[in-house]
Amino acid sequence: MKQFILPVFVSAALSTSSLSAGGSTVSFTGEIVAGACGIDAGSLDQTVRLGVVSANRFKAAGDRSASQTFDVTLTDCDTSVARNAYFTFIGTGHPAAPALLGVVGAARNVGVRLQAASGEYIDNGFEQKRPIVLQHGSNVVRFSAMYEATAATVTPGRADAVANFRVRYH
C-alpha cells in the first residue's frame, strides 16, 4: 500500500511544480469582535476626497470648505446586545486646534473637521455626544469631512490627514 501511494504523491508533486510559473501570496485578515455589530470591509481604509479648494475661500479662523460625505456600514447589528453606537475618530491633532485633524503637506493654517449626520462636530480623539440609534441588521452611518481654517490666512499646498475610528456600543 505504501508503494502505491508514494508514486502517486511524487507524480502529483512533479506535475504541479512543472506547471507552476511563480508563487504569490494570498493573505486573509479580519477580526472577531464582541460588539453589537460588525463593520463592513468596504468601510475600512477609505479615502475621502476633499477636493481642490482655493485658499481664498478662507478669510478667518473657523471658515470651512464644502463638506464631503463618507459612510461606515455596521453589519449584523443585534439590538438585544446594544441599541446605540458612539464613534470616536483619532488622528494627529492640529497644533493650533487639536479638535481638528492636523494635515500633512505644504498647506498651513488648515485642518480637517469631522461632522456626524446629526450636525454634531466630532472633535479629534473625543467620542461623539449624540448616539447613533441602531436598527437590527445593517446600519449605514454617515459622516462628513471638510477643511477648516485655523487662521485668517491659509497657505496653499497639499493637505492630507488620517484618522482611525472606534465604535463603542451601549
Side-chain angles (χ1 to χ4, degrees), residues 37-46 48 69-75 77 85-89 114-115 117 122 128 132 134 137-144 163-167 169:
C37 307
I39 300 172
D40 183 77
S43 295
L44 305 173
D45 301 324
Q46 295 186 56
V48 179
T69 62
F70 64 100
D71 296 330
V72 175
T73 301
L74 301 176
T75 59
C77 294
Y86 298 85
F87 281 77
T88 304
F89 290 87
L114 298 175
Q115 187 176 27
I122 303 173
Q128 70 183 113
I132 304 300
L134 297 172
S138 290
N139 291 258
V140 177
V141 185
R142 177 148 292 172
F143 297 97
S144 61
N164 294 311
F165 69 90
R166 68 175 175 240
V167 185
Y169 300 100

Side-chain angles (χ1 to χ4, degrees), residues 50-100:
L50 296 179
V52 178
V53 180
S54 172
N56 294 328
R57 179 179 181 97
F58 306 102
K59 305 288 186 209
D63 285 354
R64 297 184 184 99
S65 68
S67 63
Q68 300 299 320
T69 62
F70 64 100
D71 296 330
V72 175
T73 301
L74 301 176
T75 59
D76 303 318
C77 294
D78 183 347
T79 54
S80 70
V81 174
R83 294 193 176 273
N84 297 310
Y86 298 85
F87 281 77
T88 304
F89 290 87
I90 305 132
T92 301
H94 188 283
L100 305 178

